[in-house]
Amino acid sequence: MIELRGLTHRYGSFIALDQLSLKVPKGDLHGFVGPNGAGKTTTMRILATLLKPTSGQALVDGSDVALHPRDVRRVVGYMPDFFGVYDRLKTWEYLDFYARCYGFDAWKRRCTIDGMLELVGLTDKRDNYVDELSRGMKQRLCLARALIHDPALLLLDEPASGMDPRARSEMKTILRTLKSLGKTVLISSHILPELSEMCDSLTIIDHGRLVFSGTVEALGQRMSGNAPLSVQLLQQAAAETMDTAERLLREFPGVTGVSREPDRVFHVSFTGDPTQAAALLRSLVNAGLPLADFHRAPVNLEKVFMEVTQHE
């Protein structure tokens, strides 16, 4: 659905995008992550045909955004990070205005508006004026506006910005529904853990350059060497047993550090792969140690984000 080929954009002497290449398949819920100023919004605006790239190519559903912008606009719905709403319109009137812009007749407008309000959970706010809505409701209304022409690709620039936890949860539910309807969704954010909960795949950029692109699992595997192993013995394990366990752990290849924690837990710095971790587990079992738990500590995605963009 999206293909970027060496995409570059300059604002004067400042390089916002630097040879960015990326593919997002149809039906994917794709997270676009990076620090503030990394080039996320510039990329979104190019895909929405609001900016022309300095060089390189951006394709949406096979159409070049610079050469065939009208074709691209037919399949793209864009929700910017900062948006305006017409406060003196009722919720349904706001959507009706945009439906008229797309040339919908009265029957199609009514059906479309009803469907959009139900999708974003604003049916009961149909006759409320827009200025009476909360920020989260306004964002959902703008999402409905972006969907009014049933686009195949949805571009969401920081859609959960400023939302409270409940509103964020509601937005996540809506996005999962859109995926189930076959939409391709590109969501930008500077918060990696937030996107990892809902996205099929992620792209991380920094200073306009690609840092990582792939599944959340692949990112975790890439960084898992920095996550320690947690080894716990049963509570009845004697002090001598704890000493034996610590000695065996320190002697095993790939172990670079061992620390004792409360409740008979060891945190083990381990550089080995999953096969070597399994070998370590077997050696502890074969030594007769009373193991209660053995696992790789979860990858801290905030720490991952800081590490992959560390020069920032």
Side-chain angles (χ1 to χ4, degrees), residues 17-270:
L17 292 176
D18 189 2
Q19 296 290 318
L20 181 63
S21 295
L22 171 66
K23 288 185 178 182
V24 178
K26 287 186 178 181
D28 203 26
L29 194 57
H30 194 88
F32 198 44
V33 195
N36 291 329
K40 304 186 299 296
T41 296
T42 297
T43 305
M44 291 280 196
R45 289 177 177 170
I46 289 174
L47 290 171
T49 74
L50 300 177
L51 281 177
K52 287 188 177 181
T54 304
S55 62
Q57 194 176 30
L59 302 176
V60 173
D61 201 23
S63 297
D64 189 300
V65 299
L67 299 178
H68 306 287
R70 286 183 177 272
D71 294 338
V72 172
R73 289 169 192 161
R74 291 189 183 98
V75 299
V76 169
Y78 175 51
M79 179 177 165
D81 50 350
F82 296 103
F83 50 83
V85 290
Y86 304 120
D87 291 341
R88 295 185 180 181
L89 292 178
K90 292 182 179 181
T91 300
W92 76 267
E93 291 174 330
Y94 179 81
L95 295 179
D96 186 72
F97 171 79
Y98 284 97
R100 286 174 183 266
C101 291
Y102 282 101
F104 291 4
D105 60 33
W107 181 84
K108 186 174 182 180
R109 290 201 308 274
R110 185 168 60 253
C111 293
T112 301
I113 292 168
D114 289 346
M116 288 299 101
L117 290 175
E118 183 177 358
L119 175 66
V120 300
L122 292 177
T123 300
D124 60 336
K125 302 294 182 181
R126 176 187 181 88
D127 292 316
N128 288 63
Y129 284 96
V130 173
D131 61 356
E132 298 174 356
L133 303 179
S134 68
R135 176 176 174 80
M137 290 178 182
K138 287 180 180 178
Q139 284 177 288
R140 282 187 276 152
L141 178 61
C142 288
L143 176 60
R145 181 194 70 187
L147 287 165
I148 202 78
H149 60 299
D150 193 25
L153 171 64
L154 194 59
L155 305 174
L156 305 180
D157 198 355
E158 303 277 0
S161 176
M163 286 186 173
D164 60 39
R166 180 180 294 277
R168 286 173 184 264
S169 177
E170 291 170 347
M171 180 63 78
K172 290 176 184 177
T173 300
I174 294 170
L175 293 176
R176 294 189 186 101
T177 301
L178 292 173
K179 174 178 168 57
S180 70
L181 294 174
K183 304 291 187 187
T184 304
V185 186
L186 181 66
I187 320 167
S188 78
S189 177
H190 60 278
I191 306 173
L192 176 57
E194 179 179 271
L195 291 187
S196 68
E197 296 174 1
M198 66 179 91
C199 293
D200 304 311
S201 55
L202 295 167
T203 291
I204 301 177
I205 65 170
D206 190 20
H207 286 84
R209 295 181 179 179
L210 183 72
V211 176
F212 170 85
S213 189
T215 64
V216 178
E217 292 75 14
L219 179 60
Q221 290 171 4
R222 169 176 165 176
M223 304 304 297
S224 63
N226 296 328
L229 290 171
S230 178
V231 180
Q232 183 178 23
L233 302 188
L234 293 174
Q235 290 298 313
Q236 61 266 32
E240 309 87 68
T241 304
M242 291 291 292
D243 293 338
T244 299
E246 182 172 354
R247 176 178 56 80
L248 290 174
L249 287 169
R250 291 187 181 279
E251 292 175 352
F252 196 85
V255 173
T256 59
V258 178
S259 63
R260 289 196 191 190
E261 304 293 334
D263 297 325
R264 289 174 168 73
V265 173
F266 294 100
H267 278 188
V268 184
S269 298
F270 185 62

